[in-house]
Amino acid sequence: MTTPLYELSALQLLERYRDRALSPVEVTQAVLARIERWEPHIHATYGLDAEAALASARASEARWTQGKPQGDLDGVPVTLKENIATRGTPTPIGSAATVLAPAAADAPAAARLREAGAVIVTKTTMPDFGFLGAAPSSFHALTRNPWDLGHNTGGSSSGAGAAAAAGYGPLHLGTDIGGSVRIPASFCGVFGLKPSQGRIPVDPPAAARVIGPMTRTVADAALLMQVVTRPDARDYMSLPPNDFAWQRLERNVKGLRIGLWTETMGGWPIDAEVKEAVLAAARLFEQAGAIVEPLADWTTLDMRMGMAHFFTMRCRVDLAAMPPERAKLAAGYIHQAAEFAASLTPEDTFRAFTRMQALRAATVAATQPFDYVLSPVSPVLPFAADAINSGSENLLKDSHFTSVFNQSEQPAASINCGHAKNGLPIGLQIAGRRFDDLGVLQMARFYESVRPAQARWPEPA
């Protein structure tokens, strides 16, 4: 059976471009046709410009014909989360409250992609201000999970997760401040990497916020990292340029010490199917010679409330900066967060910051003895498409396993480790020590190579 062009990996596309077996134009046309089939169902895109994408593909085709490809991704289709600026396209940040104005310049990641010859096909959706680990937005139509349209994609890189699962080309970029790459990667059954803080230049830079790849294969994510980690002076918080051999993914796990984090200090349960899938994945590491040891939850409610207080205050500040007639257009969950923040004193806000620092210190201390840590990405399966969380009494539950690694600045990935009885995907999180982004990719590639056969990708009805 011939693989459809929209399903080919970036590495496969580049090989076929080199052999003149494929043209970037026909691949871009196939991706656009795929988007046309899926979009009425999942609503993952924003700012799609088919003519601009085809013009970029034709320019790439001409370069390949001349034997002069422009860069590492020449002719490869890519999507970007809409808060990653692309010149000339407004960035609503998921909210109807945002005044739409064309972006004056490409953000660093977008600039690197253009320099590498990638074909930017479309932007992808997100919830208001990236505040949710779920899809609902006051600006975008509700993004739905391709595996089951009645269920959520997760967030805040909602459209990127759905686009990767639906086959909108091989490469997608999301952003992550508390799980926003990993949760939608988990819910949509794709691979997602939250790199070390500063590994990919961001403009404007912000504490805990990173950009990360979302792909169907680990190797494609590594290829994307090879491009978007290149330096950009606009990010004054970025790490020094690296010389990682990003494609050197094969690694023996024998003798590695791996922590297994599946219990919570609060005692609330992880979904049984999620836990069993993670334990089964851990057994594969153990069978290959890794030393897998239980890792107790090191977090406290006080630490986590620090994050909650800090980010709700951000909502209040963002709304206060807008004219009232604009602010009222933001989603209800933003207003609820801002109203809660109104009850906090300046001292409360300062203490929130110090509690976040305590969480960072505790995360580094707890995980430092291990080469890598395995855990669930989400403690729950994908919930209803229009819900803003899993509905638990513990509102911090959904990002329990992900947000800690944003605070500690450590790399962490989500890779599919199975499907529940209802067919919905389950994500395994693999975290490493700070700066060991390549090691996390290598562990993900190991697991990818030994995991059971994967379910076929979803198709539109």
Side-chain angles (χ1 to χ4, degrees), residues 3 66 95 224 344 440 443 450:
T3 303
Q66 297 166 9
S95 182
L224 191 47
L344 301 176
V440 168
M443 293 303 101
V450 298

Side-chain angles (χ1 to χ4, degrees), residues 145-407:
N145 194 321
W147 292 96
D148 184 326
L149 300 179
H151 287 80
N152 216 291
T153 59
S156 64
S157 302
S158 312
Y168 291 10
L171 303 180
H172 311 270
L173 279 181
T175 65
D176 191 313
I177 201 168
S180 291
V181 162
R182 289 157 290 160
I183 293 171
S186 174
F187 281 16
C188 295
V190 302
F191 179 74
L193 173 68
K194 182 206 81 70
S196 297
Q197 181 78 21
R199 181 67 70 202
I200 297 174
V202 177
D203 181 37
R209 179 173 177 256
V210 300
I211 290 174
M214 301 176 72
T215 60
R216 287 186 172 186
T217 69
V218 177
D220 270 1
L223 177 64
L224 191 47
M225 289 292 287
Q226 184 173 302
V227 170
V228 295
T229 54
R230 290 168 184 160
D232 193 297
R234 288 174 286 178
D235 187 347
Y236 49 82
M237 294 169 62
S238 62
L239 298 175
N242 66 77
D243 57 356
F244 290 168
W246 287 106
Q247 292 297 314
R248 193 175 297 164
L249 295 175
E250 303 306 319
R251 182 174 170 190
N252 192 333
V253 303
K254 186 175 181 179
L256 292 178
R257 189 180 179 201
I258 294 178
L260 178 58
W261 177 28
T262 60
E263 303 299 334
T264 63
M265 188 73 75
W268 45 264
I270 298 168
D271 182 278
E273 290 184 282
V274 171
K275 186 172 182 178
E276 178 48 42
V278 170
L279 293 177
R283 286 194 290 270
L284 293 178
F285 280 84
E286 200 165 35
Q287 289 165 13
I291 303 162
V292 179
E293 305 172 34
L295 174 58
D297 191 356
W298 59 90
T299 70
T300 66
L301 180 60
D302 188 62
M303 293 173 183
R304 292 183 177 279
M305 288 306 297
M307 280 193 295
H309 290 177
F310 184 86
F311 285 109
T312 55
M313 184 58 75
R314 191 192 76 174
C315 290
R316 181 169 176 79
V317 169
D318 286 347
L319 288 183
M322 298 177 179
E325 65 274 13
R326 297 298 310 181
K328 70 181 182 181
L329 300 177
Y333 52 80
I334 298 295
H335 287 280
Q336 291 168 10
E339 288 166 10
F340 171 80
S343 69
L344 301 176
T345 66
E347 292 79 9
D348 289 332
T349 304
F350 178 78
R351 280 192 289 269
F353 178 77
T354 61
R355 285 184 283 175
M356 289 164 63
Q357 292 298 100
L359 177 60
R360 173 178 180 161
T363 301
V364 172
T367 60
Q368 193 64 25
F370 300 96
D371 296 297
Y372 301 97
V373 171
L374 306 180
S375 74
V377 174
S378 169
V380 299
L381 294 170
F383 39 81
D386 58 356
I388 63 171
N389 55 46
S390 63
S392 63
E393 293 182 3
N394 181 355
L395 295 179
L396 304 178
K397 176 180 179 179
D398 294 349
S399 62
H400 185 89
F401 291 99
T402 54
S403 59
V404 295
F405 296 115
N406 292 82
Q407 294 305 311

